[in-house]
Amino acid sequence: MNCKNKYMKSLYSLFVTLLITVVSYGQIQDPVKWNFELGAVVENEVDLILTATIEEGWHINGANIPLESFSMPTDLYLDTSSMFISEDSIYEPVFEHVYDDIAKEDLYLHSGNLTISRKIYVKTNSDFKLKGYFTFQTCDDSHCLPPYDGLFE
């Protein structure tokens, strides 16, 4: 009888620990808040603008990182459409350049408030929906969260 109670207490303790872990993970899962808007249309050009706020202690990688980097770059993907053409370039502010002694590579990081954009050339006068996703990986000084894809339309 005593073993059964210890077993049940151990199971209960494990359950509570897992629950706390899941709740804590859910709380830090979203340290980046973001939204999209379109800039002013000038002739047939418009900028897709992403603004993001990254919680203190966290960062995301730059969009324009070296090809040989093992880091996951931040990117703005757009669904293809015959209504527009998008530039491949992503415009981002100056990033923080850090050398990681453990990974033996240069890191290009953004933290705090961030605005990045991609230029779009509209090929029609008709209304259309612009769809895509913002992909990034959030890290702090000790670990990274799984990559995140934020859909927009």
Side-chain angles (χ1 to χ4, degrees):
M1 187 81 156
N2 199 8
C3 286
K4 187 175 183 182
N5 285 339
K6 284 184 179 178
Y7 178 72
M8 292 303 290
K9 284 182 181 179
S10 293
L11 276 178
Y12 178 75
S13 178
L14 178 62
F15 173 75
V16 170
T17 302
L18 286 173
L19 182 61
I20 290 169
T21 302
V22 168
V23 169
S24 297
Y25 184 74
Q27 289 174 346
I28 63 168
Q29 185 62 29
D30 197 15
V32 179
K33 306 287 187 241
W34 53 272
N35 68 333
F36 282 96
E37 62 185 0
L38 291 175
V41 178
V42 178
E43 296 187 20
N44 68 332
E45 295 179 19
V46 64
D47 288 329
L48 174 64
I49 302 167
L50 166 93
T51 55
T53 302
I54 305 162
E55 288 181 16
E56 189 173 334
W58 293 93
H59 59 265
I60 64 174
N61 296 318
N64 300 295
I65 64 176
L67 292 175
E68 66 274 5
S69 176
F70 290 105
S71 298
M72 182 187 148
T74 296
D75 208 342
L76 297 176
Y77 290 99
L78 297 172
D79 290 354
T80 57
S81 170
S82 62
M83 305 291 197
F84 66 88
I85 297 171
S86 68
E87 276 189 1
D88 289 336
S89 298
I90 293 179
Y91 299 94
E92 65 183 323
V94 175
F95 41 75
E96 179 184 1
H97 179 208
V98 176
Y99 183 76
D100 185 335
D101 289 325
I102 295 170
K104 304 285 187 232
E105 74 172 340
D106 293 309
L107 302 177
Y108 303 95
L109 311 175
H110 292 292
S111 57
N113 295 319
L114 171 68
T115 301
I116 62 176
S117 64
R118 175 168 259 163
K119 191 166 294 297
I120 298 167
Y121 300 97
V122 180
K123 296 171 35 176
T124 181
N125 288 329
S126 303
D127 289 342
F128 62 92
K129 288 186 181 183
L130 188 60
K131 296 180 186 180
Y133 62 96
F134 169 46
T135 187
F136 60 93
Q137 186 167 28
T138 310
C139 302
D140 65 11
D141 290 338
S142 65
H143 72 293
C144 293
L145 299 176
Y148 180 81
D149 293 337
L151 300 175
F152 67 86
E153 182 176 313

